[in-house]
Amino acid sequence: MEPTPLSDVYTEQSEPLTLLKKLKLQTYFSLENNPLIELVSSNTHSVDFTHKRSEYIRGRLWIMCMFFAFSVPAFSFFDFLTLDYQHAEILLVARLTLSISLFIMAYRVKRSSSVSLIKHVIALSFFLPALFYFSIMFTFSSLQDVPLIFTMMPYLILAMIGLFPLTIRGGVILISLIFMPFMLVQVHFFQGDYWQLFNAVWLFILFAGISLWLQIAQLSMLMNLYRESTIDPLTKLINRRVMLRRIDMLKAHATRFSVVMFDLDRFKRINDTYGHLAGDKVLKVASNIIKKNLTRSDIVARYGGEEFVAILPSTSAIEAIKKAELIASSLKASKITMSNNEEITVTSSIGVTAYQQGEAIEALFKRVDDLLYDAKELGRDRVVSDIN
């Protein structure tokens, strides 16, 4: 991929206010890292954030399943007080069935943190209560005979969705799973009173809207907190802590990946000569060039100071060397304009190695760091690997 020309790189101080507003608007409505798109669907979420959100949902989901697994059969006491004995027995069977299902889901959630499992369990945890509502409503002959607690059940289920930081798509799917049994019940009891049907549907939509708003607000807050704690504010790359978590996940599923470590040559001299703002500009340019020459599946992090690390899944050391050389040449070819209109060229010393099955992360990074040191000792502006 062709790197971005440095003439296109701008600083906020040098651009007119109107252009800044235009660029912010374009960024907001672009498809990549778009805050609107990220709230609609989880397809653009990072792997690390997906797992963090799944863990957050998992904890709340377990508590919810356990609470209702105990409380649903407990409320059968009121069925026997308010309904005839035979009817209460039928409802007890339905309550026990739902309770056992919730216990099973709570057990599965407790035993596994799989993202796929959490998605299926959260769908079932709302669809089964809606199915329970559907089945018990058909045991009554008319709406006038239905206790208020059963009539309000779809709205209570909707309210529970607001406990989870779901995307708009996820929330709409859950709402649809509740809406189908709800509408079947409304059609079953419909006696020509359109005003009553309208009120019931309108109340459902109102609860659904509030629930959707609550879950999106939670997701937005969670994403902001995640970014503040894991994303480097200058380069917009993940930090070392997140990168190490990603490597742990990668080790569990991949047998081959390569590590590339970059260090900008004589970076301290740039800071001393042109100031720290110039140094920040160089870091941003370098991070952009690295990202532009790597794929979406590659993991790029700011390792510290002027050092960057790229983790390349399913990539051999030879392929990683080619990518590293392309990045090195792109960086060297870029002319970075300082505040005094002077243009400078920045080079990088790069170490490349491949993960060896079963080795510790510390050993892997020690090896690539030694290779980076060798690149500096050999005169800088070069790629050094341990490939024979």
Side-chain angles (χ1 to χ4, degrees), residues 289-302:
I289 289 174
I290 294 171
K291 286 187 292 185
K292 292 283 186 182
N293 287 281
L294 296 177
T295 64
R296 192 179 184 87
S297 61
D298 296 328
I299 304 166
V300 187
R302 185 178 179 186

Side-chain angles (χ1 to χ4, degrees), residues 243-284:
M243 179 196 66
L244 293 176
R245 285 204 302 261
R246 294 286 299 276
I247 293 176
D248 284 336
M249 289 188 288
L250 193 60
K251 282 178 62 180
H253 300 94
T255 58
R256 184 180 70 168
F257 63 88
S258 295
V259 180
V260 184
M261 183 176 284
F262 307 83
D263 188 283
L264 302 183
D265 296 328
R266 298 184 174 88
F267 182 75
K268 185 177 183 301
R269 184 182 298 178
I270 297 174
N271 277 333
D272 293 341
T273 305
Y274 302 100
H276 288 281
L277 288 178
D280 290 346
K281 182 175 183 179
V282 170
L283 289 172
K284 286 191 282 187

Side-chain angles (χ1 to χ4, degrees), residues 31-60:
L31 291 179
E32 186 173 358
N33 298 325
N34 186 313
L36 291 177
I37 297 297
E38 289 177 338
L39 292 177
V40 172
S41 170
S42 62
N43 291 339
T44 58
H45 295 176
S46 69
V47 175
D48 188 66
F49 177 73
T50 298
H51 280 82
K52 283 294 178 184
R53 183 173 73 106
S54 180
E55 281 295 315
Y56 183 85
I57 292 173
R58 179 190 176 201
R60 293 195 164 197

Side-chain angles (χ1 to χ4, degrees), residues 115-306:
V115 174
S116 177
L117 175 68
I118 300 301
K119 286 182 179 180
H120 287 91
V121 171
I122 198 170
L124 284 173
S125 66
F126 285 98
F127 179 66
L128 290 180
L131 200 60
F132 168 76
Y133 160 79
F134 173 78
S135 62
I136 63 174
M137 289 296 284
F138 277 77
T139 65
F140 295 94
S141 57
S142 67
L143 276 177
Q144 286 71 28
D145 300 330
V146 181
L148 182 61
I149 185 64
F150 293 137
T151 306
M152 293 298 297
M153 187 173 291
Y155 311 114
L156 297 176
I157 299 172
L158 284 173
M160 296 300 296
I161 300 179
L163 293 173
F164 301 95
L166 305 176
T167 60
I168 294 176
R169 185 179 68 176
V172 169
I173 290 173
L174 292 185
I175 291 169
S176 300
L177 293 176
I178 303 167
F179 184 70
M180 289 185 292
F182 170 79
M183 281 306 300
L184 288 173
V185 169
Q186 298 303 315
V187 171
H188 175 72
F189 286 113
F190 182 68
Q191 296 179 342
D193 190 345
Y194 287 97
W195 180 246
Q196 182 181 7
L197 178 63
F198 172 80
N199 281 335
V201 174
W202 170 247
L203 188 61
F204 185 97
I205 295 173
L206 184 64
F207 270 81
I210 294 173
S211 179
L212 202 60
W213 175 74
L214 288 173
Q215 68 192 36
I216 294 170
Q218 281 200 73
L219 176 60
S220 179
M221 180 185 68
L222 195 64
M223 293 176 71
N224 289 333
L225 291 174
Y226 174 84
R227 287 195 178 100
E228 288 180 4
S229 62
T230 61
I231 304 298
D232 174 51
L234 180 65
T235 62
K236 307 306 178 185
L237 299 176
I238 59 175
N239 58 27
R240 184 190 301 195
R241 182 176 56 185
V242 180
M243 179 196 66
L244 293 176
R245 285 204 302 261
R246 294 286 299 276
I247 293 176
D248 284 336
M249 289 188 288
L250 193 60
K251 282 178 62 180
H253 300 94
T255 58
R256 184 180 70 168
F257 63 88
S258 295
V259 180
V260 184
M261 183 176 284
F262 307 83
D263 188 283
L264 302 183
D265 296 328
R266 298 184 174 88
F267 182 75
K268 185 177 183 301
R269 184 182 298 178
I270 297 174
N271 277 333
D272 293 341
T273 305
Y274 302 100
H276 288 281
L277 288 178
D280 290 346
K281 182 175 183 179
V282 170
L283 289 172
K284 286 191 282 187
V285 170
S287 65
N288 286 333
I289 289 174
I290 294 171
K291 286 187 292 185
K292 292 283 186 182
N293 287 281
L294 296 177
T295 64
R296 192 179 184 87
S297 61
D298 296 328
I299 304 166
V300 187
R302 185 178 179 186
Y303 196 66
E306 66 273 19

Side-chain angles (χ1 to χ4, degrees), residues 61-78:
L61 188 58
W62 183 83
I63 293 173
M64 187 188 77
C65 288
M66 289 298 292
F67 174 78
F68 285 104
F70 281 108
S71 60
V72 166
F75 276 92
S76 61
F77 171 75
F78 294 99

